[in-house]
Amino acid sequence: MRGLLPPFVGIDATTSDRSPYWASLPELADAFGTTPHRRRLLRNLISYRSLLAEGGYVGGVQFIDGSFVENIEMVAGRNPTDIDVFSILNVPSKYRDNPSLWPSTGLSFWQGEVIDRDRNKQRFDLDTYAVIFEDLHARPALLIRDIIYWYSLFSHQRGTFAWKGFVGLVLDPASDQAALSALGSA
């Protein structure tokens, strides 16, 4: 009724059947690609995931949130403006195998492509945030802090503070191609 994914399924708040709701990209596209605008946003998400893969980021998960996973058309009479994406990425193997490459090539790709919010908003209509799971500087407490922060932020609606759910995706290039085929061209 509020146009939000529920934070959990059923009446028992301690259930393990709760947000994030894990889905494949084709499932996400099927559930939320209900208008031409939404399908364009999904194609942009796939383009961002392809960019990640080009940089060697082939392992990890993403949390998908914002008005995209709401029925914002019904509630506010508008299209979703973007997709909020928080990525927890595994270090590309080339940097695990040779950490000395990170300062010369890895860091610039990370800063200029993966986490450049303004650039990703402009080219993909995505609000992107990311952390590296292994954290090259081995600071697990900071990684845990970031994950808890994003979980708590994504589990509540910005304007109303209503408790809500969001979607989890595993990086999977084959699944992305299946979703892209199902979405078709613009």
Side-chain angles (χ1 to χ4, degrees):
M1 288 175 56
R2 297 179 303 154
L4 303 174
L5 289 173
F8 56 89
V9 177
I11 58 171
D12 179 5
T14 64
T15 181
S16 62
D17 195 3
R18 63 186 320 104
S19 177
Y21 298 105
W22 292 95
S24 66
L25 201 47
E27 291 168 334
L28 181 74
D30 187 52
F32 292 98
T34 56
T35 66
H37 178 75
R38 285 174 168 273
R39 288 189 290 278
R40 183 183 62 77
L41 289 175
L42 283 161
R43 284 190 293 275
N44 289 351
L45 175 61
I46 294 168
S47 294
Y48 178 67
R49 288 165 62 102
S50 294
L51 176 75
L52 294 176
E54 289 170 18
Y57 295 93
V58 295
V61 298
Q62 293 178 312
F63 295 131
I64 306 300
D65 194 42
S67 60
F68 184 79
V69 296
E70 299 175 11
N71 189 347
I72 196 69
E73 294 90 345
M74 177 191 75
V75 173
R78 66 170 179 83
N79 285 320
T81 55
D82 59 16
I83 300 175
D84 295 352
V85 183
F86 172 57
S87 303
I88 304 170
L89 303 170
N90 294 111
V91 173
S93 61
K94 60 186 168 187
Y95 304 120
R96 274 195 318 268
D97 296 343
N98 188 354
S100 67
L101 291 175
W102 179 256
S104 61
T105 60
L107 186 59
S108 62
F109 185 85
W110 177 260
Q111 291 174 334
E113 302 291 342
V114 177
I115 63 168
D116 188 329
R117 286 184 57 222
D118 293 336
R119 187 172 188 201
N120 291 331
K121 180 74 167 186
Q122 182 179 33
R123 63 183 170 174
F124 299 124
D125 286 324
L126 301 177
D127 195 6
T128 57
Y129 306 88
V131 296
I132 296 175
F133 180 75
E134 298 89 350
D135 193 318
L136 291 174
H137 300 95
R139 298 174 298 189
L142 295 177
L143 176 65
I144 292 167
R145 182 198 66 193
D146 284 347
I147 292 169
I148 290 170
Y149 170 80
W150 288 104
Y151 183 88
S152 67
L153 187 67
F154 277 16
S155 65
H156 292 84
Q157 191 177 40
R158 181 180 7 175
T160 67
F161 306 111
W163 195 18
K164 66 182 186 74
F166 55 95
V167 178
L169 299 173
V170 174
L171 290 182
D172 178 5
S175 177
D176 293 0
Q177 288 310 304
L180 192 57
S181 293
L183 289 167
S185 59

